[in-house]
Amino acid sequence: MRSLPYFCRGKVIHGFGRGSKDLGIPTANFPESVVDSLPADINTGIYYGWARVGNGDIHKMVMSIGWNPYYKNTKKSMETHVIHTFKEDFYGQILSVAMVGYIRPEKGFASLDELISAIRSDIEEAKTKLDLPEHLKLKEDNFFKTSISTTADQIMNGHRL
Ligand code: ADP
Ligand code: RBF
Ligand code: MG
């Protein structure tokens, strides 16, 4: 995938409402505009990288792009699980992400337990891979140095602001 690393940001919107409830793994969902701006060579599937909420710290993340075959969604989504425990929800805030590497395609699973185990192992893989020097350096990218105005109502997607 020539477009990796891919940097984008957007407002965190309400998703399908089942991330944390069903799975114990909350995912911050991006609006359609961010999903539609993805380059053509970014396939659906599971990615790992870096994420920052507003002007906060930069954390490791895993992201799922696609139609969640287990749930047979009709709308393509882009959902980020930030590998960090937050005190509060951050709906409406700007999430900045650097997609760094690809893990696997999305799959349908026979049970919810299998989906959860797969996500747990994605998280472990992300944690390990992101410690590689070539991935750690992306945390220092200028993309993450931009100060985000919480009142900004116009966010450019797919561009290195
Ligand atoms: P929704 O279906 O609305 O996306 P989720 O159950 O997936 O609901 O929960 C996602 C929300 O949980 C995010 O929008 C964010 O506000 C909050 N949240 C708290 N901790 C995290 C985290 N570590 N990663 C992602 N989102 C988190
Ligand atoms: N959904 C699927 O249907 N199949 C998957 O293989 C799958 N993998 C995921 C991997 C990660 C790291 C994350 C964060 C989510 C994944 N999901 C997958 C999406 C999951 O079904 C979704 O987060 C919940 O349905 C909440 O919207
Ligand atoms: Mg979600």
Side-chain angles (χ1 to χ4, degrees):
M1 275 174 233
R2 288 175 55 240
S3 297
L4 293 183
Y6 180 69
F7 298 83
C8 67
R9 56 180 136 240
K11 204 180 267 214
V12 176
I13 60 154
H14 285 267
F16 308 100
R18 49 169 136 80
S20 36
K21 256 182 262 149
D22 271 17
L23 314 177
I25 304 162
T27 60
N29 291 55
F30 273 135
E32 232 169 280
S33 55
V34 178
V35 183
D36 292 344
S37 305
L38 283 171
D41 71 313
I42 298 277
N43 300 319
T44 59
I46 315 307
Y47 292 79
Y48 60 88
W50 300 104
R52 183 189 196 200
V53 177
N55 293 315
D57 294 335
I58 300 161
H59 301 286
K60 293 174 176 175
M61 67 80 167
V62 279
M63 182 192 282
S64 164
I65 301 179
W67 291 270
N68 300 5
Y70 179 79
Y71 290 101
K72 303 185 173 69
N73 289 345
T74 51
K75 223 175 103 181
K76 186 175 177 183
S77 69
M78 208 173 152
E79 329 176 14
T80 305
H81 172 69
V82 185
I83 307 176
H84 177 73
T85 305
F86 292 89
K87 288 201 191 76
E88 285 172 356
D89 282 355
F90 46 85
Y91 288 111
Q93 295 207 51
I94 302 300
L95 177 69
S96 300
V97 300
M99 291 162 54
V100 169
Y102 180 78
I103 302 180
R104 62 175 176 89
E106 282 195 302
K107 287 187 281 199
F109 292 94
S111 70
L112 195 55
D113 278 352
E114 287 174 61
L115 171 61
I116 295 169
S117 309
I119 297 177
R120 293 259 165 251
S121 91
D122 296 333
I123 291 172
E124 290 315 308
E125 183 169 343
K127 283 184 181 167
T128 311
K129 293 251 172 80
L130 286 164
D131 281 335
L132 295 169
E134 76 244 46
H135 292 156
L136 275 173
K137 74 169 199 284
L138 289 166
K139 225 182 138 170
E140 312 305 326
D141 195 278
N142 273 334
F143 174 78
F144 287 118
K145 300 211 159 70
T146 322
S147 178
I148 306 294
S149 156
T150 47
T151 56
D153 53 352
Q154 180 106 63
I155 298 289
M156 300 253 298
N157 302 310
H159 294 275
R160 301 183 54 144
L161 300 182

